[in-house]
Amino acid sequence: MPGVAAPSPRRDRPAAGGLAWATLSSPVGPLAVGCTAAGVAQVRFRASPRDRFTAGLPAQPGRDGQPGQDGRQADRDDLLAAARDQLAEYFAGQRTVFDLPIDWTGTSPAQRHVLGVLFDQVGHGETVTYGELAQRAVAGPDGVSLPARAIGGIMGSNPIPVIVPCHRVVAGNGLGGYSGGTGIEVKRWLLIFEGALPATLDWTAAGI
């Protein structure tokens, strides 16, 4: 999309617990992405020093020691670079689909199923209501039956926002809620950016 400046990625060294982290600036604020060897496990908003501590990121990038380069760490580092680059491409208007494996280890079976349906079926520029996503989650041999309110809770606890696009899930009579970054304004910005909502007079591609 013209007028959207590419974010400035910054690579951080792996933190304890098997996650490697990278941070990047974006039009919706600083982001941190965490990967394991299996896939993307977390995306967090506002990577300030305090938030970095809460997320388990090293408080001073590059001062947590030089890790050994075994095979799994190399896989993790490759995934981290891909996740960082694809997020940068998305915010530059150059990517509409994330081609990344997801590590669902930190989620419950119900979360994993519902978020997986969202990731696989609701594309760039599309929206789905909480009720419609609940209906989609029921379909198939592994379907789960959940009320729309429970779907809202799963969206609010989504550990991988933006990549797993909980911002595309809306209420039947409005935008619904959003727990990432500054909240509903991030959701509105992302939906306008993707073309799912018409631009408002105060919207700018430069961000919020």
Side-chain angles (χ1 to χ4, degrees):
M1 178 178 293
V4 180
S8 301
R10 185 177 68 209
R11 171 72 174 277
D12 294 332
R13 298 190 185 281
L19 279 173
W21 290 93
T23 59
L24 69 157
S25 61
S26 84
V28 295
L31 297 176
V33 56
C35 290
T36 67
V40 181
Q42 294 190 40
V43 172
R44 293 178 179 252
F45 287 82
R46 294 180 175 178
S48 66
R50 176 177 295 179
D51 294 323
R52 291 168 63 79
F53 177 79
T54 302
L57 279 70
Q60 297 294 331
R63 295 188 181 181
D64 57 334
Q66 178 64 38
Q69 291 291 328
D70 59 26
R72 286 183 61 82
Q73 181 174 297
D75 291 343
R76 180 186 62 187
D77 289 351
D78 289 344
L79 282 170
L80 181 65
R84 177 198 59 201
D85 291 347
Q86 289 191 27
L87 280 166
E89 292 165 1
Y90 167 81
F91 284 111
Q94 300 167 355
R95 173 173 292 275
T96 59
V97 176
F98 289 101
D99 182 21
L100 297 164
I102 303 297
D103 185 350
W104 300 110
T105 301
T107 61
S108 70
Q111 285 177 306
R112 187 175 309 131
H113 179 74
V114 172
L115 292 172
V117 169
L118 172 64
F119 182 67
D120 292 337
Q121 297 186 15
V122 184
H124 191 278
E126 300 175 350
T127 60
V128 64
T129 67
Y130 297 103
E132 289 167 347
L133 185 57
Q135 292 175 356
R136 295 192 191 192
V138 170
D142 299 321
V144 294
S145 179
L146 294 169
R149 180 175 296 180
I151 297 295
I154 289 174
M155 296 304 104
S157 62
N158 175 20
I160 317 170
V162 182
I163 292 175
V164 178
C166 52
H167 61 277
R168 297 176 189 159
V169 187
V170 299
N173 59 353
L175 289 182
Y178 195 70
S179 58
T182 55
I184 195 68
E185 291 309 312
V186 171
K187 186 174 191 175
R188 188 188 312 276
W189 191 94
L190 291 170
L191 291 176
I192 293 173
F193 177 67
E194 292 183 353
L197 288 178
T200 55
L201 291 176
D202 60 346
W203 188 87
T204 170
I208 55 178

